Amino acid sequence: EDKVVQSPLSLVVHEGDTVTLNCSYEVTNFRSLLWYKQEKKAPTFLFMLTSSGIEKKSGRLSSILDKKELFSILNITATQTGDSAIYLCAVEAGGGTYKYIFGTGTRLKVLA
Amino acid sequence: NAGVMQNPRHLVRRRGQEARLRCSPMKGHSHVYWYRQLPEEGLKFMVYLQKENIIDESGMPKERFSAEFPKEGPSILRIQQVVRGDSAAYFCASSPSRDTEAFFGQGTRLTVV
Protein backbone atom coordinates (compact mmCIF):
# COMPACT_ATOMS: atom_id res chain seq x y z
CA GLU A 1 0.00 0.00 0.00
CA ASP A 2 1.26 3.47 -0.85
CA LYS A 3 2.29 5.51 2.15
CA VAL A 4 3.97 8.74 3.15
CA VAL A 5 5.52 9.13 6.59
CA GLN A 6 6.55 12.43 8.08
CA SER A 7 8.74 13.08 11.08
CA PRO A 8 8.79 14.47 13.61
CA LEU A 9 5.07 14.66 14.30
CA SER A 10 5.55 17.91 16.14
CA LEU A 11 8.35 20.30 16.87
CA VAL A 12 8.74 23.34 19.12
CA VAL A 13 11.62 25.73 18.45
CA HIS A 14 12.58 29.31 19.20
CA GLU A 15 12.75 32.10 16.70
CA GLY A 16 16.01 32.03 14.80
CA ASP A 17 16.43 28.27 15.00
CA THR A 18 16.83 26.11 11.92
CA VAL A 19 14.53 23.14 11.48
CA THR A 20 14.59 20.11 9.23
CA LEU A 21 11.40 18.25 8.47
CA ASN A 22 11.50 14.76 7.03
CA CYS A 23 9.29 12.90 4.60
CA SER A 24 9.79 9.32 3.50
CA TYR A 25 7.58 7.49 1.06
CA GLU A 26 6.73 4.19 -0.54
CA VAL A 27 4.58 4.56 -3.61
CA THR A 28 4.26 2.85 -6.92
CA ASN A 29 4.71 4.97 -10.03
CA PHE A 30 6.24 7.96 -8.27
CA ARG A 31 5.75 11.18 -10.19
CA SER A 32 6.56 14.02 -7.82
CA LEU A 33 6.75 15.07 -4.18
CA LEU A 34 5.14 18.22 -2.91
CA TRP A 35 5.36 20.25 0.27
CA TYR A 36 2.45 22.32 1.54
CA LYS A 37 2.07 24.63 4.52
CA GLN A 38 -1.25 24.44 6.31
CA GLU A 39 -2.36 27.03 8.80
CA LYS A 40 -6.00 27.39 9.78
CA LYS A 41 -7.05 27.33 6.18
CA ALA A 42 -6.15 25.88 2.83
CA PRO A 43 -2.84 24.11 2.38
CA THR A 44 -0.61 26.50 0.47
CA PHE A 45 1.85 25.17 -2.04
CA LEU A 46 5.56 25.41 -1.23
CA PHE A 47 7.55 23.14 -3.53
CA MET A 48 7.23 20.44 -6.13
CA LEU A 49 10.19 18.09 -6.51
CA THR A 50 10.63 15.63 -9.31
CA SER A 51 14.38 15.13 -9.63
CA SER A 52 16.88 13.85 -7.11
CA GLY A 53 19.56 16.09 -5.72
CA ILE A 54 18.25 19.40 -7.02
CA GLU A 55 17.54 21.80 -4.21
CA LYS A 56 14.55 24.07 -4.50
CA LYS A 57 14.75 27.28 -2.57
CA SER A 58 12.32 30.03 -1.66
CA GLY A 59 13.53 32.59 0.83
CA ARG A 60 14.32 30.83 4.09
CA LEU A 61 12.77 27.56 2.92
CA SER A 62 14.51 24.91 0.89
CA SER A 63 13.82 21.33 -0.02
CA ILE A 64 15.55 18.43 -1.68
CA LEU A 65 14.52 15.00 -2.87
CA ASP A 66 16.42 11.70 -2.78
CA LYS A 67 14.67 9.24 -5.09
CA LYS A 68 17.12 6.47 -4.32
CA GLU A 69 16.51 6.55 -0.58
CA LEU A 70 12.87 7.63 -1.05
CA PHE A 71 12.80 10.71 1.12
CA SER A 72 12.73 14.45 1.10
CA ILE A 73 13.63 17.13 3.62
CA LEU A 74 12.26 20.60 4.11
CA ASN A 75 14.60 23.08 5.78
CA ILE A 76 13.56 26.33 7.34
CA THR A 77 16.32 28.65 8.48
CA ALA A 78 16.03 31.60 10.86
CA THR A 79 12.53 30.53 11.85
CA GLN A 80 9.89 33.13 12.66
CA THR A 81 6.62 32.84 14.59
CA GLY A 82 4.82 33.10 11.26
CA ASP A 83 6.34 29.78 10.26
CA SER A 84 4.17 28.06 12.86
CA ALA A 85 1.94 25.70 10.90
CA ILE A 86 1.47 22.10 9.87
CA TYR A 87 3.80 21.15 7.05
CA LEU A 88 2.37 18.52 4.77
CA CYS A 89 4.30 16.28 2.45
CA ALA A 90 2.43 14.71 -0.45
CA VAL A 91 3.55 12.28 -3.10
CA GLU A 92 1.88 12.23 -6.45
CA ALA A 93 1.33 8.67 -7.56
CA GLY A 94 1.03 8.08 -11.26
CA GLY A 95 -0.40 5.08 -13.00
CA GLY A 96 -3.02 7.24 -14.64
CA THR A 97 -4.58 8.60 -11.47
CA TYR A 98 -2.27 11.42 -10.42
CA LYS A 99 -3.67 11.58 -6.91
CA TYR A 100 -1.73 12.90 -3.95
CA ILE A 101 -0.96 10.74 -0.96
CA PHE A 102 -0.40 12.90 2.07
CA GLY A 103 1.55 12.31 5.22
CA THR A 104 -0.03 13.27 8.53
CA GLY A 105 2.10 16.39 8.68
CA THR A 106 4.63 17.92 11.04
CA ARG A 107 3.20 20.47 13.44
CA LEU A 108 5.78 23.22 13.89
CA LYS A 109 5.48 25.82 16.61
CA VAL A 110 7.96 28.67 16.70
CA LEU A 111 8.17 30.54 19.99
CA ALA A 112 9.09 34.19 20.18
CA ASN B 1 -7.50 35.36 -10.65
CA ALA B 2 -9.47 34.10 -7.71
CA GLY B 3 -8.24 30.99 -6.01
CA VAL B 4 -10.15 27.78 -5.57
CA MET B 5 -13.48 28.69 -4.02
CA GLN B 6 -15.34 26.34 -1.75
CA ASN B 7 -18.70 26.88 -0.15
CA PRO B 8 -20.05 26.80 2.33
CA ARG B 9 -17.10 27.25 4.68
CA HIS B 10 -19.01 25.63 7.49
CA LEU B 11 -21.92 23.25 7.22
CA VAL B 12 -23.91 21.69 10.03
CA ARG B 13 -26.20 18.78 9.27
CA ARG B 14 -28.26 16.45 11.42
CA ARG B 15 -27.76 12.74 11.07
CA GLY B 16 -29.63 11.43 8.04
CA GLN B 17 -29.63 14.70 6.12
CA GLU B 18 -27.79 15.38 2.89
CA ALA B 19 -24.68 17.53 2.58
CA ARG B 20 -23.70 19.23 -0.66
CA LEU B 21 -20.25 20.76 -0.88
CA ARG B 22 -19.31 23.00 -3.77
CA CYS B 23 -15.97 23.73 -5.36
CA SER B 24 -15.23 26.24 -8.09
CA PRO B 25 -11.75 25.60 -9.47
CA MET B 26 -9.35 28.31 -10.46
CA LYS B 27 -9.97 29.82 -13.88
CA GLY B 28 -8.52 27.62 -16.57
CA HIS B 29 -8.30 24.56 -14.32
CA SER B 30 -10.14 21.50 -15.54
CA HIS B 31 -8.81 18.99 -13.01
CA VAL B 32 -10.46 18.81 -9.61
CA TYR B 33 -9.54 16.71 -6.60
CA TRP B 34 -11.44 16.21 -3.36
CA TYR B 35 -9.72 15.35 -0.08
CA ARG B 36 -11.01 14.72 3.40
CA GLN B 37 -9.15 15.65 6.56
CA LEU B 38 -10.28 14.05 9.76
CA PRO B 39 -9.20 15.58 13.08
CA GLU B 40 -5.52 14.92 13.77
CA GLU B 41 -5.13 13.07 10.47
CA GLY B 42 -3.59 13.92 7.14
CA LEU B 43 -5.48 14.72 3.99
CA LYS B 44 -6.95 11.62 2.38
CA PHE B 45 -7.65 11.47 -1.33
CA MET B 46 -11.27 10.86 -2.25
CA VAL B 47 -11.86 11.50 -5.93
CA TYR B 48 -10.28 13.03 -9.03
CA LEU B 49 -12.48 14.51 -11.73
CA GLN B 50 -11.85 16.13 -15.04
CA LYS B 51 -14.70 18.03 -16.62
CA GLU B 52 -17.72 15.70 -16.71
CA ASN B 53 -15.58 12.64 -16.04
CA ILE B 54 -14.62 10.78 -12.88
CA ILE B 55 -11.02 9.71 -13.38
CA ASP B 56 -10.32 8.05 -10.05
CA GLU B 57 -12.76 7.52 -7.19
CA SER B 58 -10.71 4.96 -5.32
CA GLY B 59 -10.83 7.02 -2.12
CA MET B 60 -14.58 7.49 -2.06
CA PRO B 61 -16.69 5.40 0.29
CA LYS B 62 -18.79 3.06 -1.80
CA GLU B 63 -22.09 4.20 -0.35
CA ARG B 64 -23.66 7.60 0.30
CA PHE B 65 -20.85 9.59 -1.36
CA SER B 66 -20.87 10.88 -4.91
CA ALA B 67 -19.09 13.58 -6.87
CA GLU B 68 -19.63 15.38 -10.12
CA PHE B 69 -17.97 18.09 -12.17
CA PRO B 70 -20.44 19.22 -14.81
CA LYS B 71 -19.54 21.04 -17.97
CA GLU B 72 -20.93 24.22 -16.48
CA GLY B 73 -20.78 25.08 -12.82
CA PRO B 74 -18.85 23.95 -9.80
CA SER B 75 -17.83 20.49 -8.76
CA ILE B 76 -20.17 19.02 -6.16
CA LEU B 77 -19.37 16.50 -3.46
CA ARG B 78 -22.60 15.01 -2.19
CA ILE B 79 -22.99 13.02 1.00
CA GLN B 80 -26.35 11.40 1.56
CA GLN B 81 -27.71 10.35 4.93
CA VAL B 82 -24.80 11.82 6.84
CA VAL B 83 -23.47 10.15 9.97
CA ARG B 84 -21.32 11.54 12.78
CA GLY B 85 -18.23 9.93 11.27
CA ASP B 86 -18.59 12.14 8.20
CA SER B 87 -17.66 15.17 10.29
CA ALA B 88 -14.41 16.43 8.79
CA ALA B 89 -12.88 19.16 6.71
CA TYR B 90 -13.34 18.58 2.99
CA PHE B 91 -10.82 20.21 0.72
CA CYS B 92 -11.00 20.69 -2.98
CA ALA B 93 -7.95 21.29 -5.15
CA SER B 94 -7.61 22.13 -8.81
CA SER B 95 -4.89 22.14 -11.42
CA PRO B 96 -4.69 23.10 -15.08
CA SER B 97 -3.20 19.78 -16.07
CA ARG B 98 -2.01 16.50 -14.64
CA ASP B 99 1.59 17.61 -14.55
CA THR B 100 1.34 20.72 -12.40
CA GLU B 101 0.80 21.27 -8.71
CA ALA B 102 -2.69 21.48 -7.34
CA PHE B 103 -3.99 24.52 -5.50
CA PHE B 104 -6.30 24.04 -2.58
CA GLY B 105 -9.46 25.80 -1.52
CA GLN B 106 -10.17 26.90 2.03
CA GLY B 107 -12.16 23.78 2.74
CA THR B 108 -15.65 23.09 4.01
CA ARG B 109 -15.91 22.01 7.61
CA LEU B 110 -18.81 19.61 7.94
CA THR B 111 -20.22 18.94 11.37
CA VAL B 112 -22.85 16.25 11.80
CA VAL B 113 -24.91 16.57 14.94
Side-chain angles (χ1 to χ4, degrees), chain B residues 97-113:
Chain B
S97 72
R98 284 179 166 177
D99 299 322
T100 55
E101 67 272 15
F103 293 87
F104 282 80
Q106 302 275 8
T108 293
R109 187 163 298 278
L110 172 66
T111 302
V112 179
V113 297

PDB file of all heavy atoms in Angstrom, chain B residues 97-113:
ATOM      1  N   SER B  97      -3.539  21.010 -15.358  1.00  0.00           N
ATOM      2  CA  SER B  97      -3.205  19.776 -16.067  1.00  0.00           C
ATOM      3  C   SER B  97      -2.743  18.755 -15.048  1.00  0.00           C
ATOM      4  O   SER B  97      -2.616  19.046 -13.863  1.00  0.00           O
ATOM      5  CB  SER B  97      -2.102  20.034 -17.099  1.00  0.00           C
ATOM      6  OG  SER B  97      -0.867  20.250 -16.440  1.00  0.00           O
ATOM      7  N   ARG B  98      -2.452  17.558 -15.539  1.00  0.00           N
ATOM      8  CA  ARG B  98      -2.013  16.504 -14.636  1.00  0.00           C
ATOM      9  C   ARG B  98      -0.590  16.740 -14.145  1.00  0.00           C
ATOM     10  O   ARG B  98      -0.186  16.172 -13.148  1.00  0.00           O
ATOM     11  CB  ARG B  98      -2.061  15.167 -15.368  1.00  0.00           C
ATOM     12  CG  ARG B  98      -3.439  14.627 -15.532  1.00  0.00           C
ATOM     13  CD  ARG B  98      -3.405  13.329 -16.291  1.00  0.00           C
ATOM     14  NE  ARG B  98      -4.660  12.622 -16.188  1.00  0.00           N
ATOM     15  CZ  ARG B  98      -4.928  11.486 -16.795  1.00  0.00           C
ATOM     16  NH1 ARG B  98      -4.016  10.925 -17.557  1.00  0.00           N
ATOM     17  NH2 ARG B  98      -6.097  10.907 -16.656  1.00  0.00           N
ATOM     18  N   ASP B  99       0.168  17.521 -14.839  1.00  0.00           N
ATOM     19  CA  ASP B  99       1.594  17.612 -14.551  1.00  0.00           C
ATOM     20  C   ASP B  99       1.984  18.813 -13.704  1.00  0.00           C
ATOM     21  O   ASP B  99       3.159  19.077 -13.521  1.00  0.00           O
ATOM     22  CB  ASP B  99       2.377  17.657 -15.866  1.00  0.00           C
ATOM     23  CG  ASP B  99       2.151  16.405 -16.698  1.00  0.00           C
ATOM     24  OD1 ASP B  99       2.058  15.323 -16.077  1.00  0.00           O
ATOM     25  OD2 ASP B  99       2.043  16.505 -17.928  1.00  0.00           O
ATOM     26  N   THR B 100       1.027  19.550 -13.215  1.00  0.00           N
ATOM     27  CA  THR B 100       1.339  20.724 -12.398  1.00  0.00           C
ATOM     28  C   THR B 100       0.750  20.564 -11.004  1.00  0.00           C
ATOM     29  O   THR B 100      -0.146  19.759 -10.787  1.00  0.00           O
ATOM     30  CB  THR B 100       0.780  22.004 -13.031  1.00  0.00           C
ATOM     31  OG1 THR B 100      -0.622  21.834 -13.249  1.00  0.00           O
ATOM     32  CG2 THR B 100       1.459  22.284 -14.356  1.00  0.00           C
ATOM     33  N   GLU B 101       1.272  21.374 -10.092  1.00  0.00           N
ATOM     34  CA  GLU B 101       0.797  21.270  -8.712  1.00  0.00           C
ATOM     35  C   GLU B 101      -0.651  21.685  -8.610  1.00  0.00           C
ATOM     36  O   GLU B 101      -1.160  22.461  -9.424  1.00  0.00           O
ATOM     37  CB  GLU B 101       1.668  22.125  -7.784  1.00  0.00           C
ATOM     38  CG  GLU B 101       1.566  23.615  -7.996  1.00  0.00           C
ATOM     39  CD  GLU B 101       2.546  24.126  -9.052  1.00  0.00           C
ATOM     40  OE1 GLU B 101       3.100  23.292  -9.810  1.00  0.00           O
ATOM     41  OE2 GLU B 101       2.744  25.350  -9.113  1.00  0.00           O
ATOM     42  N   ALA B 102      -1.296  21.147  -7.580  1.00  0.00           N
ATOM     43  CA  ALA B 102      -2.692  21.484  -7.343  1.00  0.00           C
ATOM     44  C   ALA B 102      -2.770  22.591  -6.290  1.00  0.00           C
ATOM     45  O   ALA B 102      -1.965  22.641  -5.363  1.00  0.00           O
ATOM     46  CB  ALA B 102      -3.456  20.253  -6.876  1.00  0.00           C
ATOM     47  N   PHE B 103      -3.743  23.444  -6.447  1.00  0.00           N
ATOM     48  CA  PHE B 103      -3.987  24.524  -5.503  1.00  0.00           C
ATOM     49  C   PHE B 103      -5.268  24.219  -4.742  1.00  0.00           C
ATOM     50  O   PHE B 103      -6.274  23.824  -5.339  1.00  0.00           O
ATOM     51  CB  PHE B 103      -4.104  25.861  -6.244  1.00  0.00           C
ATOM     52  CG  PHE B 103      -2.806  26.273  -6.873  1.00  0.00           C
ATOM     53  CD1 PHE B 103      -2.468  25.844  -8.146  1.00  0.00           C
ATOM     54  CD2 PHE B 103      -1.903  27.068  -6.187  1.00  0.00           C
ATOM     55  CE1 PHE B 103      -1.265  26.197  -8.739  1.00  0.00           C
ATOM     56  CE2 PHE B 103      -0.701  27.432  -6.767  1.00  0.00           C
ATOM     57  CZ  PHE B 103      -0.379  26.998  -8.043  1.00  0.00           C
ATOM     58  N   PHE B 104      -5.193  24.444  -3.441  1.00  0.00           N
ATOM     59  CA  PHE B 104      -6.301  24.040  -2.580  1.00  0.00           C
ATOM     60  C   PHE B 104      -7.237  25.200  -2.252  1.00  0.00           C
ATOM     61  O   PHE B 104      -6.799  26.357  -2.149  1.00  0.00           O
ATOM     62  CB  PHE B 104      -5.761  23.460  -1.275  1.00  0.00           C
ATOM     63  CG  PHE B 104      -5.276  22.051  -1.404  1.00  0.00           C
ATOM     64  CD1 PHE B 104      -4.029  21.776  -1.943  1.00  0.00           C
ATOM     65  CD2 PHE B 104      -6.072  20.984  -1.011  1.00  0.00           C
ATOM     66  CE1 PHE B 104      -3.576  20.469  -2.079  1.00  0.00           C
ATOM     67  CE2 PHE B 104      -5.628  19.677  -1.135  1.00  0.00           C
ATOM     68  CZ  PHE B 104      -4.378  19.427  -1.673  1.00  0.00           C
ATOM     69  N   GLY B 105      -8.493  24.853  -2.054  1.00  0.00           N
ATOM     70  CA  GLY B 105      -9.458  25.798  -1.524  1.00  0.00           C
ATOM     71  C   GLY B 105      -9.367  25.847  -0.012  1.00  0.00           C
ATOM     72  O   GLY B 105      -8.562  25.135   0.600  1.00  0.00           O
ATOM     73  N   GLN B 106     -10.199  26.692   0.586  1.00  0.00           N
ATOM     74  CA  GLN B 106     -10.167  26.900   2.031  1.00  0.00           C
ATOM     75  C   GLN B 106     -10.832  25.770   2.791  1.00  0.00           C
ATOM     76  O   GLN B 106     -10.719  25.688   4.009  1.00  0.00           O
ATOM     77  CB  GLN B 106     -10.886  28.213   2.384  1.00  0.00           C
ATOM     78  CG  GLN B 106     -10.306  29.431   1.729  1.00  0.00           C
ATOM     79  CD  GLN B 106      -9.152  29.989   2.525  1.00  0.00           C
ATOM     80  OE1 GLN B 106      -8.691  29.393   3.488  1.00  0.00           O
ATOM     81  NE2 GLN B 106      -8.654  31.146   2.129  1.00  0.00           N
ATOM     82  N   GLY B 107     -11.535  24.916   2.085  1.00  0.00           N
ATOM     83  CA  GLY B 107     -12.161  23.782   2.737  1.00  0.00           C
ATOM     84  C   GLY B 107     -13.564  24.072   3.228  1.00  0.00           C
ATOM     85  O   GLY B 107     -13.946  25.232   3.441  1.00  0.00           O
ATOM     86  N   THR B 108     -14.333  23.029   3.370  1.00  0.00           N
ATOM     87  CA  THR B 108     -15.650  23.093   4.007  1.00  0.00           C
ATOM     88  C   THR B 108     -15.590  22.213   5.242  1.00  0.00           C
ATOM     89  O   THR B 108     -15.246  21.029   5.144  1.00  0.00           O
ATOM     90  CB  THR B 108     -16.762  22.575   3.073  1.00  0.00           C
ATOM     91  OG1 THR B 108     -16.914  23.462   1.978  1.00  0.00           O
ATOM     92  CG2 THR B 108     -18.084  22.468   3.835  1.00  0.00           C
ATOM     93  N   ARG B 109     -15.895  22.806   6.376  1.00  0.00           N
ATOM     94  CA  ARG B 109     -15.909  22.014   7.607  1.00  0.00           C
ATOM     95  C   ARG B 109     -17.327  21.525   7.859  1.00  0.00           C
ATOM     96  O   ARG B 109     -18.230  22.319   8.109  1.00  0.00           O
ATOM     97  CB  ARG B 109     -15.403  22.854   8.779  1.00  0.00           C
ATOM     98  CG  ARG B 109     -15.231  22.047  10.059  1.00  0.00           C
ATOM     99  CD  ARG B 109     -14.345  22.776  11.059  1.00  0.00           C
ATOM    100  NE  ARG B 109     -12.999  22.992  10.558  1.00  0.00           N
ATOM    101  CZ  ARG B 109     -12.037  22.078  10.583  1.00  0.00           C
ATOM    102  NH1 ARG B 109     -12.273  20.880  11.084  1.00  0.00           N
ATOM    103  NH2 ARG B 109     -10.847  22.355  10.133  1.00  0.00           N
ATOM    104  N   LEU B 110     -17.496  20.235   7.739  1.00  0.00           N
ATOM    105  CA  LEU B 110     -18.812  19.613   7.940  1.00  0.00           C
ATOM    106  C   LEU B 110     -18.899  19.076   9.358  1.00  0.00           C
ATOM    107  O   LEU B 110     -18.011  18.340   9.800  1.00  0.00           O
ATOM    108  CB  LEU B 110     -19.011  18.469   6.935  1.00  0.00           C
ATOM    109  CG  LEU B 110     -20.254  17.596   7.149  1.00  0.00           C
ATOM    110  CD1 LEU B 110     -21.535  18.397   6.925  1.00  0.00           C
ATOM    111  CD2 LEU B 110     -20.217  16.378   6.235  1.00  0.00           C
ATOM    112  N   THR B 111     -19.949  19.461  10.029  1.00  0.00           N
ATOM    113  CA  THR B 111     -20.216  18.936  11.372  1.00  0.00           C
ATOM    114  C   THR B 111     -21.578  18.252  11.348  1.00  0.00           C
ATOM    115  O   THR B 111     -22.576  18.859  10.957  1.00  0.00           O
ATOM    116  CB  THR B 111     -20.230  20.058  12.421  1.00  0.00           C
ATOM    117  OG1 THR B 111     -18.960  20.728  12.387  1.00  0.00           O
ATOM    118  CG2 THR B 111     -20.460  19.481  13.812  1.00  0.00           C
ATOM    119  N   VAL B 112     -21.589  17.007  11.744  1.00  0.00           N
ATOM    120  CA  VAL B 112     -22.848  16.255  11.796  1.00  0.00           C
ATOM    121  C   VAL B 112     -23.248  16.111  13.257  1.00  0.00           C
ATOM    122  O   VAL B 112     -22.471  15.617  14.078  1.00  0.00           O
ATOM    123  CB  VAL B 112     -22.689  14.868  11.148  1.00  0.00           C
ATOM    124  CG1 VAL B 112     -24.005  14.087  11.229  1.00  0.00           C
ATOM    125  CG2 VAL B 112     -22.253  15.011   9.698  1.00  0.00           C
ATOM    126  N   VAL B 113     -24.448  16.600  13.548  1.00  0.00           N
ATOM    127  CA  VAL B 113     -24.913  16.567  14.945  1.00  0.00           C
ATOM    128  C   VAL B 113     -26.049  15.560  15.101  1.00  0.00           C
ATOM    129  O   VAL B 113     -26.647  15.127  14.125  1.00  0.00           O
ATOM    130  CB  VAL B 113     -25.355  17.964  15.401  1.00  0.00           C
ATOM    131  CG1 VAL B 113     -24.176  18.920  15.382  1.00  0.00           C
ATOM    132  CG2 VAL B 113     -26.506  18.485  14.554  1.00  0.00           C
TER     133      VAL B 113
END
